[in-house]
Each structure stands twice: as structure tokens, then as C-alpha cells.
Amino acid sequence: MSEATQKSTANAVPERADIAERHKWNLGDIYPNWEAWDEDITRCRALMDKFVAMKGTLGDGAERMLEAYQLNDQIGMMAYKIFRYPQLSYDTDQRNNELLARIQNVQNLFAEFGTKAAWFEPELVSLDEDTVRGWVDAEDALKDYRFPIGEVFRQREHVLDEEGERLLSYFSRFNGNPGETYRALSTADVKFNTVELSDGSEVEVSHAAYSRLLRTCRNQEDRKKAFEAMYGIYQDKANTYASLYNGICQRGAASARARNFDSAVHAALDGNNVPVSVLETLVETAAAGVAPLQRYHALRKKVLGLEKYDQYDGSIPLVDFDLEYEYDAVAETIIASVAPLGEDYQRQIREALEGGWIDVYETKGKRSGAYSAGVYGVHPYMLLNYNGTLSDVFTLAHELGHTMHTLLANQTQPFATSDYTIFVAEVASTLNEALLLEYMLGQTEDPVERAVLLQHAIDGIVGTFYMQALFADYELRAHQLAEEDQPITAEVLNEVYYSRLKHYLGDVAELDPLYAATWARIPHFFNSPFYVYQYATCYASSAKLVREVLDEGQGQAEAVERYLNLLRAGGSDHPMELLKAAGVDLSEPSTVEAVVTQLDTLVGMLEKELDALAQAE
């Protein structure tokens, strides 16, 4: 009996000691013990002091500039290990306050260094650009820094003088206050509502319970009760959430003005040199392509036999399916699914699965969710809470995509250009999912399983592409209010969001007015403004790439190599340029329109499988 089966049979979260070592990550690859960690902190402090002491010397020539960059790299590589060791340890048991204190000490160390090192970019951009580029051309070892040096000069009009940068650095911790307050209000201090379901049971509608109820409750009235219980929390405190969000928008507007940007969205996208027109194209094209989305919800309404349909009806499975996927078997399935990417890719996927890189199962105190975390010079680590569901299967494939992206980038790039941007981060993860879907559909003729797989794929497009484009649309409009000195109240934000949601879902959904408060429930709006659109652009990119990777024509080998080169490139160029080299141009509406077409095709396939099931009854 597998650990997952044992766990579900016992119906209790196991202790960490109950999990086999091969299903836990091995942090010994980072440090053998805490003494070694302490020693690296001491060494890192010394390197930080040495870097700070180099202030005023960058103009002395190529050798001094090289010394500064290499020293900064040493600090950066050490910082990965110093932070990840306690962070990964803490995430396996978040009841451990000693580990939390270690993390906070590391964060304070990095914040202090950030303030002391604020001289670096102002001093660099004060130098003659042609002179610096001449040093890069003449000194071979400086060539690793050609792109980051070029980036500093590209953004020089947005870099303040030393005093200005120092002053802004003082606000770095305060700037996070609205987000921290949001997290406290929505998580730490939240009081969840309890509802009585149709079977007489009472359920406290927490975030996890709400998601579960929408996926599992066949009774529509139960889903409605769960929705009202969850969204009522946000509506009851809508004015407080609006005040926090106004702070976010005002902060964005003020920061953009301080750094000479036209707007907050220009400032947010400039770091990756992404034209605002790319975001605008995404928003406009997605909004114009809502017909397949509405077709899908109309199909759901029909199959579920609902007289009235609302958004809380959008997660319940269209067919009953309770197959449990055993982890080790799934691992082999994923390895087989990525065969189009070559034997070496498969070999490294296997190493990730078997090499102590993954913490697989839920245990008491462990952080929820899933992620892949890189450690340059070691390897990535993956956290899962694997439960055997189909969703968990695709989560594993997704996180392995991130892991392979990090691994190939770190193997190929020097530290200075290894870190890829969020703009391309979800390409590898969603492409892995697409390969897995294609493989699993090819392995089954069961219309039930095929319908479940197709619904999973469609729901991925709805959540990753359409909803993120809708969120981006909302953010653009909300931040524009601040930049135009317009009032930002709960009523205003409710109207902005609700009007866009109505456009996307059309007449098929009789949207409850309470959905107007959805904006208050999206953490990214408060924690990472103008972040969510990148999920949608990444999905559009991977959708195009996977079609070429799976095309068995003469161009397949070249398409695979272009894709792998994208992963190997890390952060060595602007993400738009890296994607173009791989064959994706996000400035073209046709790239985004292809996702609309893909959804329409998948909905048609789902209709066919559901018809087959209906005829078999």
C-alpha cells in the first residue's frame, strides 16, 4: 500500500517521520548541518563589507569593475544557499519558530546590505557608457556581465543619484506595508463563516474548504451558501480592502513619477523591457475572444442541468471520477510524456524525481501548495502536497517544468544571467502540462477519463489565460484611476471589476452582485501589481511552442532545440527577444488569438466525449 493510500485510508495528516526518505527532499546537498550554515553567514557578511568598501572605485578601470561584479556574484550565490536552507526547512514544519527567526535574520541581513549597496547603480551610470562598453569588449571575463551592464544603462533615466536611491531604499520595508496588512486581514485575522449544508453537516468555509466545496458539492444551493460565506467576508470589509488597495495604487503612481516613468504599468513592465502594448494586446484580444469561454459555460449549464448558472457552478466536475493516481506510477508517466523533448531532458527529469529534490506528501505543519525553488550551484527543490488527484498529477508536471527551466539555465549561464524573468517563467511549466495532457489522452479510450482530462485542460485555459487577462484588464483600469487623481472607493472598484466579469461571461451566467467584490480576494493585486498578465502571455507562448514541438514534420527537431535554448538562455536577454528566438512573437495578436482557437477546439472535443457518455447511458 502506498504512502498516499495509507494517508487517505487513515484520513489524517501524517507526521513527517511516517514518510519514506525517498519522498522527502535532502537539504544536505545545500549544507551538511547548521554549523556550516552559520559559517557561510559569517563569510557572507565579510564579502558584503568588502563590496560596500568598493564604493567610489568603479571608474578605476575594467579590473575594478570586474572585481565588483564577481564579488556581487559571490554574495548572490551564497545568499541563495543561506536563505533556502532555513526557508525549505521551515516549509516542512511551519510550527517551528526557531526556523522562522533564522529566516527573519537572513532577511534583515539582506535588507541592510541592500541599503548599504545602493551606491552601485548610481555610480555605474555616472560613468561614460562608451568607456564602460569598451572595458567589456576588452576584458573577456566582463563579457558575462554585458547584458546586466547594458540593462543598467538602458534604465539610467530611471535611476536616481546616490542620495535619491538611498532615500528610496529607506521606504523599501514600508512599501510592503499595504501587502502585509492585506495578508493579516485576509489570512491571519480572518474569521470564516460556517454554513449548514443540505446533508445537515456544518462546514467552516475557509479558503481551502471553499475551493473543495465548489469542486465537490453536487447541490447547487450548497455551492451558493459556500460562495456567500466566503465573499461575504470581503464585502463586509470592502471599505478597508479598498483603502489598502488605494495605497497600492498611490504607491505605484508615486514610484513611477519619482523614477520618471509615464505610469505604474510602464514602470512595472520596464524591468523586462516589455512594451505596454503587449499587455494591451493581450487584454484586447482576450476580451474580443470570449465566445468559446461562454460556449464552455453554456455547455456546463446544460450538462449540469441547471436552470440558472453562476460562477460558483464553474468548478464542479461534469462527470464523476474518483481514480487515484499513485505517485511513483505518475512519475513514470511524466517521464514518458516529455519524450518529444529528448532523452537528456527525460534523464534529468528522472534525476529530479529520484534524487532527493522533491518533498512529496502533506505532513503536519507543512506549508500548503506547491513550488519549485532554485539554488544556484546545487539544484532546484520542489515542494508538493501530493494527494493522488488528477490536479496533483498536473501540478507535479507543472513544477517539474519550472525545475527543468532553472536547471538548464543554471547549467548553461553564469550566475549573472541565470535568473529568468517571470515573463517566461510559466512557459516551461505549462508546456510540460500540455505534453502530459497529450500523452494521457493518447493512453485512454475511456470517455469518462477523456472528459475529465479535457475539462482539466479547458479549466487551465479559463484560469490561466482568460481570468488572468481579465485581472490585468482590471488592474490597468484601477491604477489609471490613481494616476488621473480619481477617487478609489469600494463602490468604484466593485463597478470596474463587475463590468469586466459580465463582459467575459456574458448572458450565460446570472452573476450574483457579490462577485463585484472579487478584486478584494486576489492576493496578487495587493502583493505584486501587474504580475498576473504574465500567466496569460506565458500560456499563449507555450501553446504555440507545444504545437511545434509535437509536430512530427521536418521542423520538429529545430523546434525542440529552439525551445530548449529558451530554457538554457535564463536571463541572458530581454524575455521578448528570447521568445522571438524560440518562435513566439507576443506583439502579434495572432499569438494570443491561437489560445482562443485552442479553447474552441477543446470545448468541441469535450462535447463529443460527453455525447458519447450520454448515448452509452
Side-chain angles (χ1 to χ4, degrees), residues 19 44 52 58 81 104 137 179 182 191 301 306 339 354 432 478 494 516 519 528 558 561 579 585:
I19 304 299
C44 192
V52 172
L58 290 184
K81 298 173 66 178
Q104 291 173 346
D137 291 337
Y182 172 82
K191 292 183 179 180
K301 179 180 179 181
L306 298 176
E354 299 176 355
N432 259 26
N494 281 356
W519 58 268
S528 307
E558 290 81 1
E561 191 63 19
L579 286 169
D585 187 353

Side-chain angles (χ1 to χ4, degrees), residues 360-407:
V360 179
Y361 294 114
E362 180 184 18
T363 53
K364 289 182 179 178
K366 184 176 176 180
R367 170 180 166 158
S368 62
Y371 63 70
S372 174
V375 186
Y376 191 91
V378 185
H379 56 71
Y381 284 87
M382 287 171 51
L383 180 138
L384 302 174
N385 282 275
Y386 191 85
N387 245 333
T389 66
L390 184 65
S391 177
D392 289 337
V393 172
F394 279 89
T395 295
L396 175 56
H398 181 103
E399 298 303 334
L400 280 167
H402 287 308
T403 290
M404 286 301 298
H405 195 170
T406 300
L407 189 65

Side-chain angles (χ1 to χ4, degrees), residues 138-157:
E139 175 61 64
D140 283 344
L142 266 177
K143 288 180 172 56
D144 286 348
Y145 307 99
R146 183 186 299 277
F147 181 69
I149 287 173
E151 280 296 272
V152 173
F153 281 105
R154 181 182 67 81
Q155 300 177 72
R156 69 190 306 172
E157 64 179 301

